């Protein structure tokens, strides 16, 4: 088990040696319902997801079990896009597939859960299962700035009462 | 790598020691287009999928990238159901999520490819990625009769010119 803590000290990222999985945990000053909204409301989602100074645009967004999604992004002059389908959408759990269109046949399966804690806080867990260790390790090496920035942006939206 | 050959000698099932994956390969006397049809046409699909003497019924079926599916089954007095979403639907490749509703929070990601071979034959590959080795091994211990019967039923439909 390789465990990393992100540079801003708030998110724990685990990459087990025996499973091609990335596990992240992070607490938020939010209710589970607010975290669910942040992950499913398209207008909120584009305001926090991704690296700072990136711009996201929703192309397709149908956040229900059996729906699908696609968004495009721009960061530092680079264009990119992601898409997938929503396998499960529940107040406490979202499962979706995730493809970065730069690697069109690559896909991972991601599960997000929102667990209420004392003091009005919520533990977000995300588990991403990749098809190989190579795919997992490729993502692991590049994801951290986007994760840090995105969750910090979500913290700010929550603190501002905008979620 | 654990490799099994199904009891009727036609399907190879691999369960790698280092990845929570089940890989199956099987040749069919069919074109890739016929195998694609067998996996996407709901009226054909229910005629071959699953154990002999099982009865399947489609509840939801939208075989396009971003669509979703659900079917129910009955076999030997037992009722069961499966559902998921179609991440990719292409002539040469289908990627979907798969949940057995008896384990409602379990999910795997399955990729089917159809590779044309000489002599009008096609190699079907399916790769199923599970969230843990326990989940993978549970499926491995129970899947073989359904796989053998289903693919033998598909052979018969192909031989009868019904695909």
């Amino acid at each position: 088990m390789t465990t990393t803590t992100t540079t801003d000290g708030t998110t724990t990222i685990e990459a087990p040696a025996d499973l091609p999985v990335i596990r992240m945990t992070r607490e938020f000053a939010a209710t589970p319902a607010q975290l669910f909204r942040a992950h499913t409301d398209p207008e909120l989602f584009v305001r926090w997801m991704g690296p700072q100074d990136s711009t996201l645009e929703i192309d397709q967004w149908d956040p229900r079990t059996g729906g699908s999604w696609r968004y495009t992004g721009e960061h530092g002059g680079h264009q990119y896009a992601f898409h997938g389908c929503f396998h499960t959408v529940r107040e406490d759990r979202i499962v979706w597939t995730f493809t970065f269109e730069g690697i069109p046949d690559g896909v991972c399966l991601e599960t997000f859960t929102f667990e209420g804690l004392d003091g009005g806080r919520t533990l977000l867990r995300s588990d991403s299962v990749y098809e190989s260790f190579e795919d997992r390790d490729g993502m692991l090496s590049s994801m951290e700035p986007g994760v840090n920035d995105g969750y910090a942006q979500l913290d700010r939206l929550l603190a501002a009462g905008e979620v």
Side-chain angles (χ1 to χ4, degrees), chain A:
Chain A
M1 177 81 69
T2 306
T3 298
T4 320
T5 299
T6 56
T7 44
D8 69 358
T10 55
T11 307
T12 301
I13 302 176
E14 292 177 13
D18 60 343
L19 270 182
V21 164
I22 297 173
R23 290 197 182 111
M24 293 199 294
T25 55
R26 191 186 197 278
E27 281 189 33
F28 289 88
T31 62
Q34 285 176 300
L35 280 191
F36 177 79
R37 207 148 58 226
H39 283 79
T40 52
D41 180 306
E43 290 173 26
L44 276 172
F45 185 82
V46 297
R47 292 179 66 194
W48 68 266
M49 174 58 68
Q52 208 171 353
D53 304 320
S54 64
T55 310
L56 302 190
E57 203 166 309
I58 296 286
D59 177 49
Q60 157 70 18
W61 196 261
D62 184 14
R64 57 174 181 82
T65 296
S68 65
W69 63 273
R70 181 172 187 271
Y71 65 86
T72 59
E74 190 277 329
H75 184 233
H78 297 280
Q79 312 282 331
Y80 45 87
F82 305 94
H83 74 265
C85 56
F86 289 102
H87 178 77
T88 301
V89 177
R90 281 193 337 227
E91 286 284 323
D92 63 336
R93 183 183 184 85
I94 295 170
V95 183
W96 74 4
T97 57
F98 180 97
T99 285
F100 162 55
E101 296 184 5
I103 306 175
D105 283 352
V107 51
C108 75
L109 180 66
E110 299 194 317
T111 298
F112 304 89
T113 59
F114 315 118
E115 182 189 339
L117 304 174
D118 289 341
R121 297 179 68 81
T122 294
L123 179 65
L124 167 69
R125 288 178 203 269
S126 89
D127 267 41
S128 305
V129 186
Y130 291 81
E131 296 173 293
S132 70
F133 286 95
E134 293 73 16
D135 291 356
R136 190 274 306 268
D137 293 342
M139 177 57 80
L140 197 61
S141 68
S142 63
M143 66 190 283
E144 207 187 305
V147 167
N148 281 347
D149 288 1
Y151 289 153
Q153 286 163 174
L154 178 51
D155 274 342
R156 287 193 290 273
L157 287 179
L158 288 161
E162 300 189 29
V163 180

